[in-house]
Amino acid sequence: MRILTILLVSIVLAACSGPKDTPLPRDLDKMDTIKPAMEKLTPEERELAAGYIMRHTIGAKLGGLFGGKEGPGIPEGMTLGKAIEEQRKFKADAAIEEAKQQALKAKLQAEREAAQKQMREAVTVTLVSKKLVTEHGYSGIVTDENLQVVFGYKNNTDRDVAGVKGYVSVKDLFGEEISGFLISNDNTIPAGQSATWTGSRSVRFALGDNKDRKLAELGEDKYKVVWEPEMIVFKDGTKLTAPKE
C-alpha cells in the first residue's frame, strides 16, 4: 500500500511538473541541459529567461572586470519560472527608473531653456565680424593664420553687467556646427549700452573640429549664430545662471 501511494504521488507530481519547474544550472557551460524546457516556453518567457541567465552569469562577471563588485550568480534552487518572474520584475523596475530619469531630464532641460531665454533677453551676443589674419616672420615667411572674430554685446537691462559667460555656436544652413566659441567677458557693459570683444585663434594649428577657415569665407547669409548663455553677473552682485545639462 505504501509503495502504491508513493507511486501515485510521483505520477501526480510528474504530471503537475512543467518546464518552469526546471532548475537552472549555475554553470553557463551546462545551459544546454535546459534547452528542451526553454523550447516549451512562450517567446516572451524565453526572452525573459535568457535575460536573467545573461544578467547573472556573463553580466555578473563583467561587473568585477572594471574595478567594481562582481554581481551575484544564479542562486541555488533557482527555476526557470522563478527566473522569468524575477527578470520581469527587474525590467519593470528598470522601466520605472528610466521614466523617472527621463522626467528629471525633461524638467532640467525646461528649466535650462527658461533660464537661457531670460539671459538672452538680458544680454544679446552676436558675431559682428570675422576675417583671416596672416602672420609673417622676419624673413617674410608665413608663420601662422588666425581667425579674428569680433563679438558684440548689448545690455538690454537697466543694470550694469559686470561679466558674461557662455558659448556661441555658429551653424550652417543645415544646422551643423561650423565653429564654437567659449565666451568669458568680464568687461563692464553699462545699462542699455553695447560693447565689443575681439579675439583670435590659429587656423593653421587648429585644435578640435572647428572649421574656422570655412567660417571666415562664408557670407553672412550662409550661417546663423546661436547664443547659449551660462551666467550673467551684474555689477550689483546679482546674477542669472542656467542649470548644467
Side-chain angles (χ1 to χ4, degrees), residues 2-72:
R2 183 179 177 185
I3 295 176
L4 180 60
T5 301
I6 293 173
L7 287 174
L8 288 173
V9 170
S10 299
I11 292 172
V12 171
L13 289 175
C16 295
S17 178
K20 293 183 181 180
D21 297 315
T22 303
L24 281 185
R26 305 187 70 187
D27 190 342
L28 190 60
D29 294 336
K30 298 179 180 178
M31 288 299 165
D32 281 346
T33 60
I34 64 170
K35 186 176 179 181
M38 289 281 282
E39 291 175 348
K40 296 177 182 178
L41 300 174
T42 65
E44 186 230 5
E45 290 171 340
R46 282 197 296 272
E47 182 181 343
L48 291 170
Y52 178 91
I53 292 169
M54 293 296 292
R55 186 161 59 89
H56 286 271
T57 53
I58 296 176
K61 294 291 184 184
L62 287 176
L65 292 179
F66 303 100
K69 184 179 179 181
E70 185 174 318

Side-chain angles (χ1 to χ4, degrees), residues 113 116-124 156 226-229:
E113 289 175 358
Q116 286 191 326
K117 181 177 182 295
Q118 184 182 12
M119 285 191 284
R120 289 191 185 103
E121 292 172 351
V123 176
T124 303
N156 303 310
V226 180
W227 167 225
E228 300 176 3

Side-chain angles (χ1 to χ4, degrees), residues 95-140:
I96 292 172
E97 183 60 30
E98 175 67 17
K100 289 180 180 178
Q101 292 181 9
Q102 290 298 323
L104 177 59
K105 181 179 179 180
K107 177 177 179 291
L108 293 176
Q109 183 63 32
E111 291 176 353
R112 178 177 174 81
E113 289 175 358
Q116 286 191 326
K117 181 177 182 295
Q118 184 182 12
M119 285 191 284
R120 289 191 185 103
E121 292 172 351
V123 176
T124 303
V125 177
T126 189
L127 179 61
V128 176
S129 66
K130 57 194 175 46
K131 63 180 179 179
L132 284 179
V133 178
T134 303
E135 293 183 0
H136 297 85
Y138 290 111
S139 60

Side-chain angles (χ1 to χ4, degrees), residues 57-97:
T57 53
I58 296 176
K61 294 291 184 184
L62 287 176
L65 292 179
F66 303 100
K69 184 179 179 181
E70 185 174 318
I74 297 175
E76 190 73 39
M78 178 60 64
T79 64
L80 268 177
K82 290 180 182 178
I84 289 168
E85 292 308 312
E86 285 200 17
Q87 185 67 6
R88 184 176 280 122
K89 183 178 184 303
F90 174 80
K91 291 187 67 175
D93 291 344
I96 292 172
E97 183 60 30

Side-chain angles (χ1 to χ4, degrees), residues 156-196:
N156 303 310
T157 73
D158 56 3
R159 292 180 290 167
D160 292 347
V161 169
V164 177
K165 181 181 180 181
Y167 182 76
V168 172
S169 177
V170 183
K171 302 177 183 291
D172 63 20
L173 298 180
F174 308 104
E176 296 293 327
E177 183 173 79
I178 304 169
S179 294
F181 304 87
L182 291 173
I183 296 295
S184 183
N185 185 4
D186 58 2
N187 294 324
T188 298
I189 310 170
Q193 299 297 309
S194 298
T196 60

